[in-house]
Each structure stands twice: as structure tokens, then as C-alpha cells.
Amino acid sequence: MANEQAIQQELQEKFPYFGEKITISSERRIWAEVASSNFFEAFDYIVKKMNFSMLCLIIGLDSGDNLEFIYNLSRYDGTMLNLKTFVPKTNPVHKTVTADYFPGAELYERELVDCFGARIEGLPEGNRYPLPDTWPEGQYPLRKDWTPDMLDKQPEGK
């Protein structure tokens, strides 16, 4: 696990705000948590300087008062780093990674918009995903406070 510990140490030295928020879960598996205000500084370094050049997945979660976004990044040696950040549900705004990093992230980010109600700044206009165009606006089915009966309570014309 020397490789994982070296990555952990490099991130903690470069970005003291990581502190104890980096864990090694197993060989070639690292988890790191960063505030949304520091996300892009750390993300840029991880992608460009540490060679985590493959975005495998973006996962959205509802943790109550916040939405969590987990960016699953990988290197060619098979090491995976999961970078987690939070945005408040009352203002779930996050910038896109499509423009400067991973154009293929568009579908993942559209899923955050459609299913969680996130606002992804800089995401180009496009089709909804994965929900159909007829899905009611303001209904986010992967939020914990959403229930199917909410679809029946839509105002007329929605």
C-alpha cells in the first residue's frame, strides 16, 4: 500500500484542508472528501498533476441537508480515487467538469440535474437524462424526501 500512502501524503501536504479526510479503503482504493469551495483546486491537481486521467463515474447521493457528489477517478495503474464533495440542497450549485476536463461527463452531470435537482454551471444545453421530457419539473426522484405520490400533486398544466 505504499503507492496509496504516497498519494494520501502528497494530497495532505499540498492541500492541508484534506487533513484526516483521506482514507485508504483497500489496495488501490482511496477516498477523499473536500469542501465544494476547494473542489476544483484539488480536482485540477489530482487530474493534471497526479495523472488520475480517467473519470469512471459521478455518483449523486442525498445525505439529508446536502447532496453529495462522488467523482470516481482512475489512473492507468488501476489506482482509484473517489473525490467526494457536498452542496447544500437549498442551493445545489456545482460547476461542470465537461468543459475543462472530461467532455464525456455530460450524461453523469445531466443525471445529477434530473434526479437530484442540482444546477451544474457551465453544462451545455441538451436533452434531459435519464428522465423523459414529460417528467414534471421540480420532481427529483432520487432525493430522500421524494415519493411517487408527489407526481399526483402537480399543479394543473405542469
Side-chain angles (χ1 to χ4, degrees):
M1 293 229 205
N3 182 43
E4 296 82 3
Q5 291 169 337
I7 292 167
Q8 180 183 35
Q9 183 176 354
E10 181 177 345
L11 285 172
Q12 288 170 327
E13 288 174 1
K14 177 74 177 169
F15 306 107
Y17 50 73
F18 273 116
E20 299 298 317
K21 295 184 178 187
I22 300 175
T23 58
I24 299 167
S25 60
S26 64
E27 185 177 355
R28 295 184 301 177
R29 300 296 182 264
I30 305 164
W31 290 80
E33 192 176 297
V34 64
S36 61
S37 59
N38 296 321
F39 176 83
F40 278 95
E41 176 186 41
F43 187 83
D44 186 74
Y45 185 82
I46 289 165
V47 171
K48 294 179 179 175
K49 302 292 186 202
M50 299 184 80
N51 299 315
F52 282 90
S53 58
M54 293 175 277
L55 177 69
C56 303
L57 185 64
I58 302 173
I59 302 165
L61 299 169
D62 180 345
S63 60
D65 291 336
N66 295 306
L67 297 178
E68 299 178 21
F69 304 142
I70 304 171
Y71 292 76
N72 182 282
L73 300 161
S74 182
R75 299 194 317 188
Y76 285 102
D77 67 0
T79 303
M80 298 184 84
L81 191 149
N82 295 292
L83 184 64
K84 182 192 298 190
T85 193
F86 303 86
V87 295
K89 279 171 67 172
T90 56
N91 189 27
V93 178
H94 195 61
K95 292 181 184 173
T96 185
V97 297
T98 59
D100 296 328
Y101 302 97
F102 300 106
E106 183 175 342
L107 288 180
Y108 300 133
E109 291 181 338
R110 290 201 186 289
E111 187 174 330
L112 297 176
V113 172
D114 251 14
C115 295
F116 291 97
R119 289 190 308 276
I120 306 295
E121 292 180 339
L123 183 64
E125 290 294 321
N127 294 331
R128 294 185 69 179
Y129 178 82
L131 300 176
D133 291 338
T134 57
W135 187 266
E137 292 292 324
Q139 296 289 318
Y140 308 115
L142 293 184
R143 284 193 177 195
K144 287 182 177 179
D145 56 357
W146 186 84
T147 59
D149 67 323
M150 295 170 84
L151 292 173
D152 298 331
K153 297 176 185 173
Q154 286 295 300
E156 283 295 315
K158 296 282 179 174

